[in-house]
Amino acid sequence: MNLFQKPEKLKLEALNRKSVEEFKESDKIPVVILLDNVRSMHNVGSVFRTSDAFSMEKIYLCGITPTPPHREIQKTALGATESVYWQHLESISELIKSLKNEGYLIVGIEQVKGSTLLQDYKIDTSKKFAIIMGNEVEGISENILQEIDVFVEIPQSGTKHSLNVSVCTGIILWEWYKAFS
């Protein structure tokens, strides 16, 4: 862009966005997101919106995670609950077993001993991934930690020891999107 040229925002028509039906029929990145007892409807809506933006396969809403339709989810999802496939399941443990049988690598986004820093994790694009995001306070449920194949952690250098679930999901999904694009 010329330094003397005034920037002009693109109009919606110029963005060439897919319709909901076109999105549903389009190729997806082989990633499913498992929300493990996420409480905030705003976080859920944001995960829907990010999953739409990066063409993720599906979202599983597990345990107490709220489900659409709900106006608080819709506030941040902005219609992505219509485009992204989703399913609610009570038992995340049963889901993990099923996904493993389907060939998914189970990735927990959690700070645990032996976790791999995000920048050091090599995403193998020949695999399918199930990425687990945990509860806002407790993280991933203790009872499923042993079922997870690999733990990835986002490095942080501030005074806080965690990121908001929706922010964390955005960072993680962006890395998978880049790897598969």
Side-chain angles (χ1 to χ4, degrees), residues 16-86:
N16 295 322
R17 297 289 184 213
K18 296 174 184 169
S19 70
V20 170
E21 288 310 313
E22 289 170 329
F23 178 86
K24 285 184 173 186
E25 293 174 12
S26 67
D27 290 335
K28 304 291 184 295
I29 292 172
V31 172
V32 295
I33 298 96
L34 285 62
L35 297 184
D36 177 26
N37 292 314
V38 171
R39 296 173 308 167
S40 165
M41 290 190 201
H42 293 157
N43 282 334
V44 172
S46 291
V47 171
F48 268 96
R49 192 165 167 190
T50 304
S51 296
D52 175 281
F54 297 142
S55 296
M56 297 295 138
E57 196 175 290
K58 188 172 185 176
I59 300 172
Y60 289 95
L61 308 169
C62 302
I64 66 165
T65 306
T67 62
H70 196 285
R71 72 181 170 89
E72 292 301 311
I73 294 173
Q74 187 57 26
K75 274 184 186 179
T76 49
L78 293 179
T81 57
E82 303 302 316
S83 57
V84 177
Y85 290 108
W86 65 273

Side-chain angles (χ1 to χ4, degrees), residues 23-176:
F23 178 86
K24 285 184 173 186
E25 293 174 12
S26 67
D27 290 335
K28 304 291 184 295
I29 292 172
V31 172
V32 295
I33 298 96
L34 285 62
L35 297 184
D36 177 26
N37 292 314
V38 171
R39 296 173 308 167
S40 165
M41 290 190 201
H42 293 157
N43 282 334
V44 172
S46 291
V47 171
F48 268 96
R49 192 165 167 190
T50 304
S51 296
D52 175 281
F54 297 142
S55 296
M56 297 295 138
E57 196 175 290
K58 188 172 185 176
I59 300 172
Y60 289 95
L61 308 169
C62 302
I64 66 165
T65 306
T67 62
H70 196 285
R71 72 181 170 89
E72 292 301 311
I73 294 173
Q74 187 57 26
K75 274 184 186 179
T76 49
L78 293 179
T81 57
E82 303 302 316
S83 57
V84 177
Y85 290 108
W86 65 273
Q87 184 176 356
H88 178 263
L89 296 166
E90 276 303 315
S91 174
I92 192 169
S93 186
E94 292 299 317
L95 173 60
I96 290 170
K97 288 176 190 161
S98 175
L99 290 170
K100 279 188 175 194
N101 287 336
E102 293 176 35
Y104 283 85
L105 183 72
I106 311 301
V107 179
I109 309 304
E110 187 66 86
Q111 298 165 331
V112 298
K113 289 180 184 173
S115 63
T116 302
L117 294 178
L118 178 57
Q119 68 268 24
D120 297 334
Y121 185 71
K122 303 297 179 228
I123 298 168
D124 181 350
T125 57
S126 70
K127 297 193 181 304
K128 301 186 296 186
F129 295 89
I131 298 175
I132 304 175
M133 307 303 297
N135 174 275
E136 292 89 342
V137 175
E138 302 296 326
I140 294 174
S141 300
E142 280 283 332
N143 65 320
I144 62 166
L145 292 178
Q146 71 282 356
E147 299 175 41
I148 296 172
D149 298 315
V150 63
F151 289 93
V152 174
E153 177 181 342
I154 298 171
Q156 299 162 60
S157 60
T159 62
K160 302 302 172 198
H161 60 83
S162 66
L163 294 166
N164 177 279
V165 171
S166 65
V167 171
C168 184
T169 304
I171 293 168
I172 293 295
L173 296 187
W174 170 242
E175 291 298 322
W176 261 260

